[in-house]
Amino acid sequence: SKRNAIIRKLSAVETLGSVNIICSDKTGTLTQNRMKVTKYYLPNDKNDDPRLLAKAMILCSDATGSNEQATGDPTEIALLQWGDELQINRALLYADNQRKAELPFDSKRKLMSTLTEEKNIYTVHTKGALDELMERCSHVLVNGEIIELSKQNEEHYRKIAEEMSDQSMRVLGAAYKKVNS
């Protein structure tokens, strides 16, 4: 504070070591810590329902609340709000999908996973870094069909993610798998 700088989080100081330009905004647009889902990709946008993707993202989230009273990670809050925009009834979704276990996000794994039970069927939902997800996935859902994840598909998804990243978007992927227990 003696040098007219107040740091809210110590990790911000570490990040500043690689910063060349700092932008400030008195209106709070940059600093209000809010995110919004502005774009998503599905293998076949015409036929695929984004609600399946949103469902995986919501079930693999620890954020809670509504627009006015949301708590949690800003990215996860944005995912909940996206689900609201798609008219997903979260209360019903949570009631139908009881969380049984969780592997929280960590910086080494770059993923978060939850195990849910819906009508005696167990499903693992995972969200996080696309590269990490694709290392673990062998199949992809296209046009409602589960097909093998080919090198060609993988390269295509990486290209889409890179284009989004080049537009300063945070890119996350989601996966799910039915399991026995």
Side-chain angles (χ1 to χ4, degrees):
S1 65
K2 290 178 184 176
R3 295 183 183 174
N4 297 320
I6 298 175
I7 305 299
R8 203 182 291 184
K9 295 182 181 177
L10 190 56
S11 61
V13 176
E14 295 171 2
T15 306
L16 281 174
S18 62
V19 171
N20 294 326
I21 299 171
I22 298 175
C23 299
S24 62
D25 180 15
K26 290 189 215 176
T27 64
T29 307
L30 295 174
T31 58
Q32 62 184 330
N33 206 20
R34 288 191 184 182
M35 300 181 82
K36 180 173 177 50
V37 175
T38 58
K39 188 174 187 178
Y40 62 88
Y41 175 80
L42 298 171
N44 186 341
D45 284 335
K46 294 175 186 170
N47 295 330
D48 290 340
D49 186 347
R51 289 179 294 180
L52 183 60
L53 175 60
K55 175 184 172 181
M57 295 289 195
I58 292 167
L59 290 174
C60 196
S61 170
D62 287 329
T64 59
S66 62
N67 290 343
E68 307 82 35
Q69 297 296 321
T71 58
D73 178 80
T75 302
E76 291 189 346
I77 291 170
L79 295 170
L80 296 185
Q81 291 169 344
W82 181 48
D84 293 345
E85 290 171 18
L86 294 172
Q87 299 180 342
I88 294 174
N89 183 328
R90 274 191 276 141
L92 187 59
L93 182 65
Y94 293 141
D96 289 346
N97 294 271
Q98 296 294 312
R99 186 180 287 191
K100 299 296 181 179
E102 172 186 327
L103 276 175
F105 179 86
D106 73 66
S107 57
K108 288 182 184 175
R109 193 168 163 255
K110 298 182 183 175
L111 300 169
M112 176 184 182
S113 298
T114 58
L115 173 69
T116 60
E117 180 185 5
E118 179 182 23
K119 298 178 184 168
N120 297 320
I121 298 172
Y122 292 92
T123 305
V124 175
H125 292 94
T126 302
K127 76 167 171 23
L130 188 65
D131 287 341
E132 297 297 324
L133 272 177
M134 286 199 293
E135 281 184 25
R136 292 163 172 80
C137 291
S138 59
H139 291 77
V140 63
L141 184 66
V142 179
N143 292 326
E145 256 185 84
I146 297 173
I147 62 171
E148 194 168 324
L149 177 61
S150 67
K151 278 286 185 201
Q152 183 180 3
N153 281 345
E154 196 172 315
E155 288 171 16
H156 176 72
Y157 300 144
R158 288 182 199 280
K159 182 181 176 205
I160 297 293
E162 189 175 316
E163 288 171 4
M164 288 179 172
S165 185
D166 288 346
Q167 296 172 16
S168 299
M169 294 182 186
R170 176 172 286 174
V171 180
L172 296 176
Y176 72 94
K177 180 180 180 178
K178 305 286 184 197
V179 293
N180 294 327
S181 61

